[in-house]
Amino acid sequence: MRKQLTFILTCCMLLSSTACNSNSPIKPKGENVLRIASWDEYIDMGGTVYEEDDPDLLDFIDWYKDLTGIDLKNARPIYEEFQDWYNKENPDSPIIVEYIPLQDNETMYNKIKMGDEYDLLCPSEYMAMKLKSENLLQPYSQEFFDTTIEENYYAKNVSAYTKDIFSSNGLSEYIAGYMWGSTGFVYNPQKIGASEDEAREIMSSWYCLSNPACERKITAKDNVRDSYFMGLGMYYEKELLALNPNTEDYAKILSSKMNDVSKETMPKVKALLEKARKNLYGLETDEGKTDVAAGRLDASYQWSGDAVYIMDTAEENDLMLEYSIPKSASNLWFDGWVMMNNANTKAATAFVNYISRPENVIRNMYYIGYTSCIAGTQVYDYVDYTYGDEEGTATYDLSYFFGSEFDPLLIDESQSRRQLFAQYPDEVTKNRLVVMEYFDPDENERANRMWNNIK
């Protein structure tokens, strides 16, 4: 079981009115302000609610204090703690941090195009690529990546696995990874098919979306990118399963197929999505999490971090849900910190390093349930604390992420299909994950037109 903290999530009571209102006026240049735009509830906002009758909460607070010396009962939002720390370190040039939560990548992009200016953004992979292609970003300095500098917590601790992802997508100098994960299906194995084994087989295929065993039992995302990716998964499933994953060009072929937005392929994908749409219970943006966790729905296509939340919450309802990543291919996503042109680079890079300190990495992972791009001993210890089981019957190797010097975790075997698998897919599975690139204007128009005709 994943131990869960309870937090006060009333953002606007904890933050300034500027931080809570994404429509607040932009301050003129020259003011000593660090403007950070990210997503709602995507950073530890502090305010831990202590409950004496919650042993898991007390256990984590004690463990965390032993590890870091920090008492979470007195924690404040990390960005506020950063502001105080930065101003002590730089008394002659203090800053004010404006933390501005935005709804989604498209909202972020539209605000930038309307003239809003930020120092740091935390876009998803495709939006980072788009912003870079439009020359709206500036690279990090070589000094930022110098691992000999003590304060460079990001460079010293970022996982080599995520660094390789950024490199292969042309973002090495432009992004500092924050969170990463996969997309897949969270589902109740007792409600699909004739047995749990049959349920796992069904949910390991993209065709679960149109499978009669899932009729009116499953939801998908109400957005064009995730939905089109599902359609590509169905369209190319047999071809991808026939590939040899040990060949040199395997990753290249996967990426090519799962980023196919050609005029020839899109109508064929549309036909598959139309069939799937008739089989689905419905489309959702966020409400599917609650429905599946409560047992009102049996399956849902989700981002891995939300899948962890769903499985955690379902346990409170005595439901043991599982997470499946299709055997052919699935989406690899990441969010990361990028700096806009004319950013306050000194304060921006200091914030990235501050949030990449192991103790803050753990706080944020625990708070939102997603997986940090940061590795290192303390983060590994946290994963072991969360999922390790002294009486476990299985081992789980995470050396691809943490490094060969770290031993496999001893776990309960079910975690290879549940929260641990959602947070850190095994090495074989992660090799079939694909980054979805951004659509150019023509591709975006065709994809939106297709999706609007389906939903």
Side-chain angles (χ1 to χ4, degrees), residues 50 57 60 130 145 269 359 373 406 421 442 453:
Y50 175 63
L57 175 61
F60 180 75
K130 183 178 179 65
F145 296 105
V269 169
E359 61 268 26
C373 293
F406 291 91
F421 176 67
D442 174 66
N453 289 334

Side-chain angles (χ1 to χ4, degrees), residues 255-362:
S255 181
S256 174
K257 299 301 183 185
M258 296 306 291
N259 279 288
D260 184 355
V261 288
S262 65
K263 293 180 180 179
E264 295 75 26
T265 300
M266 196 170 285
K268 300 171 184 176
V269 169
K270 179 184 178 183
L272 291 171
L273 287 174
E274 286 175 330
K275 182 178 180 180
R277 181 66 183 91
K278 295 175 183 178
N279 199 60
L280 292 174
Y281 177 83
L283 303 171
E284 54 89 21
T285 54
D286 202 45
E287 62 273 15
K289 293 190 295 186
T290 302
D291 290 335
V292 178
R296 291 189 290 271
L297 285 173
D298 297 326
S300 184
Y301 183 56
Q302 293 287 343
W303 301 293
S304 51
D306 285 349
V308 172
Y309 168 82
I310 292 169
M311 288 183 280
D312 287 345
T313 306
E315 287 185 25
E316 300 172 8
N317 300 317
D318 296 323
L319 294 175
M320 299 297 285
L321 306 182
E322 296 183 359
Y323 182 70
S324 175
I325 296 174
K327 291 180 179 179
S328 56
S330 194
N331 183 218
L332 172 66
W333 62 264
F334 57 84
D335 295 336
W337 302 104
V338 298
M339 295 189 297
M340 290 194 67
N341 292 326
N342 302 316
N344 182 339
T345 56
K346 179 180 178 181
T349 54
F351 178 80
V352 173
N353 277 319
Y354 189 84
I355 206 171
S356 299
R357 288 180 172 179
E359 61 268 26
N360 290 331
V361 169
I362 294 169

Side-chain angles (χ1 to χ4, degrees), residues 83-95:
Q83 177 177 295
D84 289 348
W85 169 83
Y86 185 90
N87 290 343
K88 289 178 182 177
E89 295 291 318
N90 300 274
D92 296 329
S93 57
I95 59 166

Side-chain angles (χ1 to χ4, degrees), residues 384-401:
D384 189 21
Y385 163 84
T386 306
Y387 298 116
D389 187 342
E390 293 181 356
E391 299 179 358
T393 58
T395 57
Y396 202 82
D397 186 359
L398 291 175
S399 58
Y400 78 85
F401 188 86

Side-chain angles (χ1 to χ4, degrees), residues 5-47:
L5 280 178
T6 305
F7 285 90
I8 298 174
L9 296 177
T10 52
C11 172
C12 290
M13 294 176 64
L14 291 172
L15 310 183
S16 67
S17 59
T18 300
C20 287
N21 182 5
S22 59
N23 295 314
S24 59
I26 296 298
K27 295 180 182 293
K29 285 185 179 181
E31 292 197 23
N32 212 12
V33 174
L34 177 67
R35 304 184 186 102
I36 305 172
S38 185
W39 317 129
D40 280 327
E41 298 179 11
Y42 211 41
I43 188 173
D44 183 4
M45 293 298 182

Side-chain angles (χ1 to χ4, degrees), residues 1 3-4 38 40 113 117 122 166 170 210 232 235 263 288 301 319 331 344 348 369 395 398 400 403 406 416 424 447:
M1 169 182 179
K3 308 170 186 74
Q4 184 71 38
S38 185
D40 280 327
K113 300 303 284 186
E117 296 181 358
C122 192
F166 306 147
S210 56
L232 283 172
Y235 182 66
K263 293 180 180 179
Y301 183 56
L319 294 175
N331 183 218
N344 182 339
T395 57
L398 291 175
Y400 78 85
F406 291 91
S416 63
Y424 296 95

Side-chain angles (χ1 to χ4, degrees), residues 105-128:
N105 284 282
E106 284 64 38
T107 299
M108 175 183 288
Y109 180 77
N110 289 337
K111 285 186 172 293
I112 291 171
K113 300 303 284 186
M114 288 188 296
D116 284 11
E117 296 181 358
Y118 309 98
D119 297 288
L120 270 178
L121 305 169
C122 192
S124 299
E125 69 295 321
Y126 75 94
M127 186 55 66

